[in-house]
């Protein structure tokens, strides 16, 4: 006899199958274009003179050869102002690569500056993962038709862009391909200054979402490492998975987008957001820490080799594999920040080996209430007790209220709730990684990722202090009850929130999802 949960699972699977068949019948056999004109282009040479390049040279005087300059972008305001500064001061090129670009007030204002850059002769290339470019966010694709702007979509799904869910269902016959997403995030001006980290482009990342904002971290880079970032961008831009927008949108679809944009009137909140946006960062006086660094980046096709391509084991290493290798060299302490933490059996073995050598491991991730992806929490939750028994110090961030959010990584902005989105690793207080990757199987096996690995005690110390402030003021430490072995969420001393014995601040519905799906959902899909 099936259990009730099993019967529900089978019923839902059958319903999804029927929906998919009906959708395929309705939409027909939508497909991607067979022939695509994809002109090759690359970053400008480092020796090309630009004001941003000259600024780097003047600031590198007396610095060791090969070192680059870095600054943590730890607040919503600095996240916006740094990107605006690169946009306004670019003279030759502007390369923008993101997993998601949202059509909302702050991003529309930033893209206004991008259009102005194109108008003054800057070559603009925008590379966007295709998955979220539906509904209102499809408006971003109009940038492809701005003079001076080229735009490509990475690994696109066929079909119209009215609904992301319907497009995904319509591509179920190609399920493995649509699971491969470009999660990279870089913003580069004149091959001289660049930004990478956890943030996409949108109100929630710039502190202006109405309900919930992301607590995130980027890093501003200047100098030789930016040339590696540009080389990475070029490789993705010229890959066969990158489709120029004009090859994906018909003239009729473009007209619909333009008509919708003309009819939409900016509500008062849009004007308020624009008024609250910060001015461009002063790059001349922004403090920089000079250090050696390396860029870790996945191949565009990741674990999917080209036809007839022989891929060696070494070439299959991913960003996550590289970071795990560096973590294995830790002697004292590893501090991990990952909003979605689904380690899987192999990563658990890595962590156990580190603990066996006496390495202290601290992990900060989302609580169920602060997690914007509850299904990811399902995969993480099944490892919590084993992690604690292993000796890992496990912390979950509170879904912070507005007045408290400003104490964590700067400011989360106007929403009443905050969700952790930063992705960082600090090793022995001397090596720091900041990038787009989560420590989960999706980042390891399916998404492409990018990360900067910087050897700097000063930068590691800055980041560690910010993280530890969160641990001390805005996160629970998980323990096991001595009596029954159940989880206990322990509030920091003096906190204005209490200990808990169930998922704190989470609704009954969220806890029910966790209970129902916990035993069923595979790690690699979360």
């Amino acid at each position: 006899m099936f259990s009730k949960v099993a019967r529900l699972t089978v019923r839902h699977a059958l319903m999804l199958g029927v929906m998919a068949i009906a959708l395929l019948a309705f939409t027909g056999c939508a497909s991607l274009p067979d022939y695509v004109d994809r002109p090759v282009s690359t970053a400008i040479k480092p020796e090309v003179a630009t004001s941003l390049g000259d600024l780097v040279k003047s600031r590198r005087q007396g610095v060791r050869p090969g070192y680059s300059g870095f600054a943590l972008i730890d607040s919503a305001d600095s996240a916006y102002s740094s990107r605006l500064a690169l946009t306004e001061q670019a003279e030759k090129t502007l390369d923008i690569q993101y997993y998601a670009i949202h059509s909302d007030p702050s991003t529309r204002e930033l893209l206004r500056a991008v259009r102005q850059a194109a108008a003054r002769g800057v070559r603009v290339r925008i590379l966007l993962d295709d998955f979220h470019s539906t509904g209102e966010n499809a408006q971003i694709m109009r940038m492809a038709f701005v003079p001076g702007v080229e735009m490509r979509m990475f690994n696109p799904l066929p079909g119209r862009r009215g609904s992301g869910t319907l497009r995904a269902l319509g591509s179920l016959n190609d399920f493995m391909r649509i699971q491969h997403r470009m999660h990279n995030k870089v913003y580069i001006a004149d091959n001289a200054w660049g930004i990478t980290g956890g943030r996409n482009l949108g109100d929630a990342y710039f502190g202006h979402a109405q309900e919930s904002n992301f607590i995130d971290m980027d890093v501003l880079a200047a100098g030789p490492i930016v040339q590696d970032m540009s080389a990475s961008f070029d490789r993705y831009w010229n890959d066969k998975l990158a489709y120029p927008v004009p090859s994906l949108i018909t003239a009729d679809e473009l007209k619909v987008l333009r008509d919708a944009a003309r009819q939409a009137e900016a509500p008062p909140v849009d004007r308020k957001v624009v008024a609250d946006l910060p001015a461009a960062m002063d790059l001349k006086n922004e403090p920089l820490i000079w250090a050696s660094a390396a860029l870790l980046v996945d191949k565009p096709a990741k674990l999917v080799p080209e036809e007839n391509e022989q891929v060696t084991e070494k070439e299959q290493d991913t960003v996550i594999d590289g970071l795990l290798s560096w973590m294995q060299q830790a002697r004292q302490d590893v501090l991990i920040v990952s909003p979605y933490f689904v380690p899987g059996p192999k990563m658990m073995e890595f962590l156990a080996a580190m603990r066996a050598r006496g390495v202290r491991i601290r992990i900060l991730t989302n609580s169920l209430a602060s997690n914007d992806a509850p299904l990811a929490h399902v995969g993480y939750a099944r490892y919590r007790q084993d992690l604690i028994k292993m000796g890992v110090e496990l912390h979950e961030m509170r879904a912070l209220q507005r007045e408290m959010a400003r104490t964590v990584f700067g400011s989360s902005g106007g929403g009443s709730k905050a969700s952790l989105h930063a992705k960082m690793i600090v090793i022995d207080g001397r090596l720091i990684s900041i990038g787009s990757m989560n420590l989960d199987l999706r980042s390891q096996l399916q998404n492409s990722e990018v990360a900067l690995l910087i050897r700097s005690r000063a930068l590691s110390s800055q980041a560690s202090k910010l993280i530890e402030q969160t641990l001390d003021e805005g996160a629970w430490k998980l323990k096991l009850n001595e009596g029954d072995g159940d989880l206990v969420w322990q509030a920091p001393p003096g906190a204005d929130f209490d200990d808990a014995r169930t998922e704190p601040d989470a609704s009954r519905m969220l806890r029910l999802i966790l209970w129902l799906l916990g035993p069923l959902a595979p790690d690699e899909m979360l």
Side-chain angles (χ1 to χ4, degrees):
M1 293 290 290
F2 280 153
S3 68
K4 184 176 181 181
V5 171
R7 289 198 301 271
L8 286 172
T9 303
V10 171
R11 182 183 302 171
H12 290 155
L14 290 172
M15 289 174 62
L16 284 174
V18 171
M19 288 174 62
I21 293 170
L23 184 67
L24 288 171
F26 177 74
T27 59
C29 298
S31 61
L32 296 173
D34 293 327
Y35 174 77
V36 175
D37 185 18
R38 193 182 286 110
V40 173
S41 63
T42 58
I44 61 171
K45 300 297 183 182
E47 56 267 21
V48 174
T50 63
S51 296
L52 285 174
D54 290 343
L55 178 58
V56 176
K57 291 176 183 177
S58 67
R59 298 201 60 177
R60 289 189 74 241
Q61 291 182 9
V63 173
R64 289 181 61 177
Y67 274 29
S68 298
F70 301 98
L72 295 181
I73 305 299
D74 62 350
S75 73
D77 281 352
S78 62
Y80 185 89
S81 66
S82 57
R83 289 167 173 82
L84 182 60
L86 299 192
T87 306
E88 291 184 346
Q89 297 183 43
E91 294 176 346
K92 298 292 185 181
T93 61
L94 195 60
D95 292 332
I96 301 170
Q97 178 182 13
Y98 280 92
Y99 171 64
I101 301 178
H102 299 281
S103 181
D104 51 30
S106 58
T107 307
R108 286 196 291 268
E109 196 65 15
L110 182 62
L111 292 179
R112 186 193 307 275
V114 171
R115 292 195 300 272
Q116 291 171 349
R120 65 176 183 267
V122 176
R123 183 197 69 184
V124 176
R125 298 185 294 176
I126 301 175
L127 181 58
L128 176 63
D129 185 83
D130 185 78
F131 197 74
H132 290 289
S133 59
T134 56
E136 178 65 20
N137 290 334
Q139 289 288 341
I140 301 299
M141 299 176 75
R142 292 169 52 224
M143 289 291 294
F145 303 93
V146 173
V149 176
E150 301 172 66
M151 185 174 183
R152 296 181 182 180
M153 308 300 291
F154 190 85
N155 196 18
L157 280 64
R160 293 186 175 271
R161 299 177 178 273
S163 166
T165 302
L166 292 179
R167 288 182 78 224
L169 285 174
S171 298
L172 285 179
N173 61 323
D174 200 7
F175 184 72
M176 293 306 296
R177 182 182 71 83
I178 68 173
Q179 284 292 299
H180 174 54
R181 305 318 318 169
M182 183 190 75
H183 202 234
N184 311 41
K185 303 165 177 72
V186 297
Y187 203 107
I188 308 168
D190 287 345
N191 198 13
W193 293 72
I195 298 168
T196 191
R199 288 182 177 89
N200 294 296
L201 302 184
D203 281 353
Y205 301 92
F206 297 137
H208 290 284
Q210 294 302 296
E211 295 182 359
S212 178
N213 285 279
F214 288 115
I215 301 297
D216 221 324
M217 180 72 79
D218 296 320
V219 60
L220 174 69
I225 194 65
V226 179
Q227 296 165 30
D228 294 336
M229 295 168 67
S230 291
S232 167
F233 180 95
D234 288 346
R235 186 175 186 184
Y236 277 80
W237 177 260
N238 295 309
D239 191 82
K240 69 177 184 179
L241 289 176
Y243 285 68
V245 168
S247 72
L248 301 173
I249 290 188
T250 65
D252 288 343
E253 289 171 321
L254 178 60
K255 182 178 183 301
V256 169
L257 289 176
R258 286 173 170 167
D259 290 344
R262 279 193 293 266
Q263 293 172 7
E265 294 183 3
V269 66
D270 285 29
R271 293 190 288 272
K272 183 180 184 302
V273 168
V274 170
D276 289 342
L277 290 172
M281 177 181 286
D282 180 3
L283 296 177
K284 290 183 179 179
N285 296 305
E286 179 67 19
L288 296 177
I289 293 173
W290 298 90
S292 62
L295 186 76
L296 306 181
V297 60
D298 287 323
K299 297 191 306 179
K302 198 136 185 188
L303 300 180
V304 182
E306 301 283 350
E307 187 176 356
N308 299 323
E309 178 187 8
Q310 298 297 316
V311 181
T312 67
E313 183 176 350
K314 182 178 180 181
E315 288 173 334
Q316 290 186 34
D317 287 346
T318 67
V319 169
I320 299 299
D321 292 328
L323 292 175
L324 289 174
S325 178
W326 279 101
M327 288 165 57
Q328 283 296 296
Q329 299 180 40
R331 298 176 180 177
Q332 298 174 326
D333 178 85
V334 174
L335 182 56
I336 297 169
V337 179
S338 182
Y340 318 120
F341 182 72
V342 186
K346 183 177 179 181
M347 198 179 300
M348 289 291 285
E349 291 178 7
F350 272 88
L351 297 174
M354 292 164 61
R355 286 295 304 135
R357 292 189 290 107
V359 176
R360 183 187 186 191
I361 303 174
R362 291 175 291 169
I363 297 173
L364 173 64
T365 190
N366 274 306
S367 62
L368 178 58
S370 70
N371 202 321
D372 70 313
L375 286 180
H377 194 86
V378 168
Y380 151 72
R382 61 174 61 122
Y383 292 99
R384 287 187 295 204
Q385 290 176 314
D386 288 340
L387 286 165
I388 296 170
K389 291 175 183 177
M390 191 187 295
V392 171
E393 299 172 43
L394 194 57
H395 302 261
E396 293 183 5
M397 198 185 82
R398 190 185 183 208
L400 303 170
Q401 299 303 309
R402 182 182 314 190
E403 61 271 18
M404 205 174 163
R406 294 188 176 276
T407 68
V408 187
F409 299 141
S411 167
S412 75
S416 60
K417 178 185 172 184
S419 180
L420 182 68
H421 199 259
K423 304 102 165 40
M424 288 185 292
I425 301 173
V426 181
I427 302 172
D428 287 342
R430 61 184 177 85
L431 194 65
I432 180 171
S433 167
I434 300 175
S436 66
M437 70 293 159
N438 298 294
L439 283 187
D440 63 6
L441 295 184
R442 177 170 289 278
S443 283
Q444 185 171 17
L445 301 177
Q446 295 172 335
N447 293 343
S448 65
E449 307 286 355
V450 63
L452 270 177
L453 190 63
I454 307 165
R455 189 180 296 276
S456 168
R457 289 191 179 277
L459 206 67
S460 297
S461 177
Q462 283 186 14
S464 295
K465 287 178 181 177
L466 291 168
I467 299 167
E468 287 164 356
Q469 184 178 358
T470 303
L471 303 184
D472 292 342
E473 299 178 11
W476 285 278
K477 184 173 184 178
L478 273 65
K479 299 281 190 180
L480 295 180
N481 185 280
E482 293 183 1
D484 54 20
D486 288 344
L487 288 172
V488 176
W489 284 258
Q490 194 174 71
D496 62 353
F497 54 98
D498 300 324
D499 294 354
R501 293 296 300 270
T502 59
E503 305 279 353
D505 294 342
S507 67
R508 290 183 179 179
M509 180 57 70
L510 280 177
R511 295 200 299 269
L512 179 62
I513 291 174
L514 184 71
W515 181 76
L516 286 175
L517 297 184
L520 305 174
D523 289 349
E524 61 272 15
M525 296 300 298
L526 299 176

